[in-house]
Structures are given as C-alpha cells and as structure tokens.
Amino acid sequence: MTPTPDAPQSSGSTQAPDSPVVVVTGANGLVGARVCEALVERGAQVRAVVRRAGTAPDLAGVEERVGDFPDPAFAASAVEGAFAVVTTVHPMGSDRATQHEIGVEGTPVVARAAASAGVDRLVHVSTAAVYDRSPGRGDVDESSELVDDDAGDYPVTKRDTDAALAATDGLTRVLVRPPAILGEGDSSVWNSLRPAAVRDDEQARHAVADQSFAWVHVDDLAAFIADVATGRVAASDDPATGPVAGGCTPVNVAAGPATVRDYHQAVTGALGVEPVWDDEPAWTGRILADRAHAWGWTPEVDLHAALAEIEVGLRG
C-alpha cells in the first residue's frame, strides 16, 4: 500500500528559521552532494554525514560529520538542534540483505532520532521504482499500486523503507520519488555506469524503443528537496498543497516525457556502437508529478540538455 498522510500532530509544523540546520546523509553521493549545494544556496547550515573523512562537499556552510547513521548514538548527535534531515543513502546494487539492513532498518534509526530531537521534518529520497510499472499499467501518481515482493531487491527494499518511515511518528515525513536520475558524476547510474555497460557488453545494447523513460535531472531534484527541507514548501493539512504536518506524504518528482529510444540513442551514438531494438511489451505510461508542481516545483533542465550532457561526458 502507498503510505498515506497520517493525521496531523497537534503541535503542527514549526516556522523554519532564516538559516536552518539541515542534516544530509550520504552527502558524498550524486544526490546528496547536489542537495548540500542547493541547501547552501538557500542559506542553510549543512551537516554532511559521510562514512569516510574528507568526502563531504568542500563548501562554506557545510560541516562534515563522519559516522554510521544507523548507529543510534551517532544519529542522535548528528540531528541535535536540526530543523530538517535529508536521507539519501541506499546501497543500490548490493544484495537484498544489505539493502534491507541499511535502508529498511537503518534509515528509520535516524528518523526516530530526529523525532526524539524535535526535528521538524525528514525528507527521504525514495524512488519511482516502488510503483508497479508493468506493461499496460498506464500513468502513475502517488496513489498508484506498489510493486509486489517479487519485483527485485531494489524496488522492494525501497518500498519497505518507505513503509517503515510511514510508521515512524513524531515529525513531518516526505517521501520524494524520482525516476531515473540524470546528471554528471562518476557514480551516476545513467550518465556513467549504464553507458559503461553499453560500451562493454553487447547485451546491454538491447532495449525496447517505445518503453517510457521517466527521468529527472539531479539539479532539479536537489532543488526540490532543498526547498522542502528548508521550509520553503510550507507544511499543510492537504497533500495537494504541501507536505502534511506530522504525516507522511509521498511526492513524485519527474521531468517531461521521454522514451528509452531517446536515452539509448544518445548513449550508443556517443559511444559509436549500434543499439539493438527488442520487440516486447513494455510500460508506456508517465510518472505524474502534479503534486510536486502544485508545491511550486518547475524543472529547469529539459530532455535535450540532459541528453547533451550525457553525450558530452561520454565523448569526453
């Protein structure tokens, strides 16, 4: 079941300070680092949680905190006095047990610590992969059916992490659900890792041309997360206008329509290899982001610019 907004807490949501303290877990990752940058641009003081010293973004206004956020004592120390927490960590590509341990069991540790410390809101980077996007399913919004247990390690553990956060009371929780995240970076799945597979493995050049390619650029995603985390998006009693105060509100963040043909041709063309088009059923719907737009979000990076960035990076 999709997490639905809980009844608002009696205390409601507090007013964001002019320079809020925001904790970001996974601050050295593709999304986490861009979120830190966007938060600093909005005047926030950032506590960047990383596991290895010296890996947090080197920016004025960013304080590195080294430790494991699933450790309750460390989590409590990291969130003390913060206005918001942004969680970005999920070990995609690891075995299910590891994904479950860090996502389903670990992320709620920092959420509970935040609730105990009086943190106003938690913004969790989930994924649109939690939705059932089988062939014929059509468009997807926040009320759409979620994946079954046989959907794969990543979507299932992300689904279960969302459910665990929905069950963690005491603060406003926002489940941000992006589809494929485009953007330059060594750890970028779609700009770096997937193209490397296409270059090296003929099987990775196979694709269904008309399948939908739901996407968002990391800079637009980070901007939305930063606006929510700093209180620029005010809490509400209606998810159509803002995150429900004291509740758990999922919100899709997706850019304009595209097909796998668009992405695959950009990658194979830049690499100088031939795509292989398969003829089989595929999902052709859209990830609807009407809720995010109603909260004031408008993506700035269009498909042409996002694909051009990939091509430039691959031609190097």
Side-chain angles (χ1 to χ4, degrees):
M1 296 291 291
T2 301
T4 54
D6 304 331
Q9 304 293 310
S10 59
S11 59
S13 183
T14 59
Q15 182 70 34
D18 291 336
S19 183
V21 174
V22 181
V23 178
V24 180
T25 69
N28 58 332
L30 176 71
V31 175
R34 301 295 180 94
V35 168
C36 289
E37 293 173 10
L39 287 167
V40 168
E41 290 172 359
R42 286 156 177 78
Q45 303 173 58
V46 180
R47 291 180 190 158
V49 174
V50 294
R51 295 184 63 190
R52 299 184 307 280
T55 59
D58 185 13
L59 298 170
V62 174
E63 173 196 0
E64 182 176 80
R65 292 286 185 96
V66 181
D68 290 322
F69 69 86
D71 174 65
F74 175 75
S77 172
V79 305
E80 183 178 1
F83 173 76
V85 174
V86 178
T87 56
T88 75
V89 177
H90 193 93
M92 183 178 183
S94 300
D95 59 77
R96 181 172 293 204
T98 300
Q99 293 189 52
H100 184 92
E101 178 183 3
I102 295 176
V104 184
E105 298 178 0
T107 303
V109 171
V110 73
R112 290 191 292 270
S116 296
V119 172
D120 185 79
R121 57 183 62 183
L122 180 138
V123 184
H124 172 64
V125 181
S126 179
T127 173
V130 300
Y131 296 116
D132 183 354
R133 291 183 285 172
S134 303
R137 274 289 178 182
D139 295 344
V140 169
D141 65 15
E142 289 84 359
S143 66
S144 295
E145 187 173 346
L146 303 186
V147 293
D148 293 330
D149 288 344
D150 60 357
D153 296 345
Y154 178 67
V156 169
T157 52
K158 291 293 279 187
R159 178 202 68 187
D160 292 348
T161 301
D162 285 3
L165 291 174
T168 304
D169 295 326
L171 74 171
T172 300
R173 289 139 290 149
V174 182
L175 308 177
V176 179
R177 290 175 173 167
I181 301 171
L182 305 186
E184 184 178 5
D186 292 342
S187 64
S188 173
V189 171
W190 298 98
N191 286 53
S192 300
L193 303 181
R194 186 65 60 88
V198 170
R199 180 194 64 217
D200 299 335
D201 183 2
E202 191 276 339
Q203 189 59 38
R205 300 169 195 169
H206 287 250
V208 179
D210 293 332
Q211 180 176 344
S212 292
F213 183 73
W215 68 282
V216 68
H217 193 274
V218 65
D219 289 340
D220 287 327
L221 173 63
F224 177 77
I225 292 169
D227 282 346
V228 176
T230 55
R232 292 191 176 197
V233 180
S236 173
D237 59 1
D238 181 352
T241 58
V244 174
C248 185
T249 310
V251 55
N252 298 335
V253 182
T259 65
V260 168
R261 183 190 300 275
D262 297 320
Y263 171 78
H264 211 56
Q265 283 185 330
V267 170
T268 56
L271 294 173
V273 299
E274 289 297 321
V276 182
W277 303 117
D278 295 332
D279 183 13
E280 58 186 59
W283 178 67
T284 56
R286 297 173 298 161
I287 300 292
L288 301 180
D290 295 349
R291 180 172 291 179
H293 294 311
W295 292 8
W297 179 70
T298 302
E300 296 184 0
V301 181
D302 63 19
L303 182 64
H304 175 77
L307 295 180
E309 182 180 46
I310 293 174
E311 292 171 342
V312 169
L314 294 178
R315 288 173 176 152

